[in-house]
Amino acid sequence: KIDKSVPITYKDGCHLPFGQAWPTHECDYGDVNSKTEVVLAGDSHAAQWFPAVEKIATERKWKLTNLTKSSCPATTLETVRDGKFDSSCAIWQVKVLNLIAAHKPALVILSDFTEYKYPLKDSSVTYEKAWKEGLTKFLSSIHTRVLFLGDTPKPTSAIGSFDLQRSATTKETEKIVLASHDMYVDTASWLCGKSCPSTYMATNTYRDSTHISVSTALNLKKRLETVIPL
């Protein structure tokens, strides 16, 4: 059975599409009255972890606040979409930091599509420099514990297994997170050895060309539980 389903946040208005700067309603899950709040933030590569994080939040009685947006990484980075400055992304990035500062959650879980280079507003700087400055600034603005889930591998073939490769941005992200005294998890090690199989626990590892399937996320829940410091 092929699982092509998407996290429920794509349907309930809590995973934001292009052009939308903020959700129109509260995006809280788990035990919404809990005093222990966890924030999940990032682009669609953070959203792919939502099914597992939500299950953990429900079991551990946390309030889970979901802040994810398509093609908008949780970092201070001015990007371009369809040839124009993506102002909704820039606004969203600031609002995420403002919400974290106001709510003071027990933990912030971040993840971004680092096996990719977002088109930058300022094309005169190298991507590595812009990414390093942007992520360092973003992390330094968060005054609570951060768990960064390293990006899942990007398949290099449409079918079958593929060799594990890591982009310069992914490698740099690990260094930036650790230099900021935050926690970094190499999620690729959960899915791959030297190569990455096309199935994980008898289901398709990926639902499309870059995102792990909902089934894979749920099958990785036990791994995720062991690295969450709450």
Side-chain angles (χ1 to χ4, degrees), residues 1-10 44-53 55 151-155 162 187 190-191 197-221 224:
K1 184 181 163 218
I2 303 288
D3 177 12
K4 289 195 169 176
S5 63
V6 296
I8 59 164
T9 48
Y10 281 72
S44 60
H45 281 227
Q48 69 181 357
W49 291 106
F50 175 84
V53 179
K55 261 201 161 13
D151 199 9
T152 44
K154 187 174 185 292
F162 58 94
T187 65
W190 296 350
L191 293 168
S198 59
T199 59
Y200 184 78
M201 290 175 72
T203 187
N204 50 302
T205 310
Y206 290 83
R207 72 170 191 262
D208 58 20
S209 60
T210 77
H211 301 94
I212 59 170
S213 66
V214 169
S215 297
T216 300
L218 291 172
N219 285 333
L220 288 170
K221 173 179 162 273
L224 198 53

Side-chain angles (χ1 to χ4, degrees), residues 34-109:
S34 174
K35 291 205 168 101
T36 303
E37 181 178 4
V38 173
V39 169
L40 173 66
D43 55 27
S44 60
H45 281 227
Q48 69 181 357
W49 291 106
F50 175 84
V53 179
E54 184 205 18
K55 261 201 161 13
I56 296 169
T58 302
E59 288 171 7
R60 297 190 182 180
K61 297 187 165 45
W62 307 332
K63 172 184 166 186
L64 172 63
T65 300
N66 185 83
L67 302 173
T68 58
K69 178 167 164 56
S70 281
S71 288
C72 186
T75 171
T76 305
L77 194 73
E78 293 190 323
T79 61
V80 167
R81 175 110 197 134
D82 297 329
K84 287 184 260 183
F85 171 52
D86 192 345
S87 58
S88 71
C89 179
I91 293 165
W92 176 85
Q93 290 166 344
V94 172
K95 282 179 169 282
V96 167
L97 290 175
N98 288 346
L99 181 142
I100 291 168
H103 286 215
K104 299 183 174 63
L107 179 70
V108 175
I109 301 174

